[in-house]
């Protein structure tokens, strides 16, 4: 009788392009992330998971350009524990070779276990492979864990900031933009 060492047979944690069948899992991660943010919790409660999944499925299967991508972070059981959506920057001051990290969510209870680092590095590798030379990322002004992770990885604030919200004016979100060279 042979005994396998602990962890043997398990797949490594990884990041890859999302598949359409993972759209609902992506929506669940996004909702969990929103609910974990005090000023965004109302959004997570109001959004319909089925509608969110349909939007993510479309983003995966019919992006407006080939350089729009959705990546997923997987645990050892190949469950989606995080995701990122990236593509060309739509900022008014962006250059043609600027990319944007439009969404980046990791299940809050798994933050700090390495999923966010793997996902961030896969984002940079993907953008670089698509020919982008600089990436920007709008971060919640009060999201210290993400800002710290980015600063430790060479992302710097570039002085841009914005306030976004819903049409009724009840929810206003302050963001700062960070950037990094992909070269």
């Amino acid at each position: 009788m042979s005994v396998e060492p602990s962890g043997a047979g398990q797949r490594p944690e990884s990041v890859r392009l999302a598949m359409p069948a993972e759209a609902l899992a992506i929506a669940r991660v996004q909702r969990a992330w929103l609910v974990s943010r005090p000023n965004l919790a109302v959004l997570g409660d109001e959004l319909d998971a089925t509608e969110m999944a349909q939007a993510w499925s479309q983003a995966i299967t019919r992006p407006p350009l080939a350089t729009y991508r959705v990546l997923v972070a997987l645990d050892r059981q190949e469950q989606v524990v995080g995701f990122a959506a990236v593509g060309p920057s739509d900022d008014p001051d962006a250059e043609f070779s600027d990319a944007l990290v439009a969404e980046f969510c990791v299940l809050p209870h798994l933050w700090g276990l390495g999923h966010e680092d793997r996902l961030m590095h896969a984002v940079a590798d993907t953008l670089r492979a698509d020919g982008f030379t600089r990436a920007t990322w709008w971060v919640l002004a009060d999201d210290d864990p993400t800002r710290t992770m980015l600063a430790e990885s060479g992302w710097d604030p570039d002085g841009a900031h914005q306030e976004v919200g819903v049409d009724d004016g009840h929810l206003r979100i302050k963001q700062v933009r960070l950037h990094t060279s992909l070269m």
Side-chain angles (χ1 to χ4, degrees), residues 75-138:
D75 65 10
R76 292 177 191 263
Q77 291 76 41
E78 295 192 351
Q79 299 298 307
V80 175
V81 296
F83 75 93
V86 300
S89 177
D90 58 0
D91 288 335
D93 61 346
E95 299 290 328
F96 182 73
S97 61
D98 287 352
L100 174 69
V101 179
E103 294 282 342
F104 187 95
C105 301
V106 172
L107 287 171
H109 68 280
L110 298 178
W111 188 271
L113 299 180
H115 300 295
E116 68 280 0
D117 293 326
R118 276 187 295 286
L119 186 57
M120 181 189 56
H121 290 292
V123 161
D125 290 344
T126 299
L127 294 173
R128 196 176 299 111
D130 284 340
F132 294 105
T133 60
R134 185 176 96 116
T136 58
W137 190 326
W138 288 99

Side-chain angles (χ1 to χ4, degrees), residues 146-168:
T146 301
R147 289 178 71 177
T148 298
M149 174 191 72
L150 293 172
E152 290 173 352
S153 299
W155 293 71
D156 296 307
D158 64 10
H161 56 88
Q162 66 183 4
E163 192 170 316
V164 296
V166 294
D167 293 336
D168 65 8

Side-chain angles (χ1 to χ4, degrees), residues 13-27:
E13 296 167 332
S14 61
V15 176
R16 62 166 167 70
L17 290 174
M19 293 187 272
E22 294 166 328
L24 184 57
I26 291 168

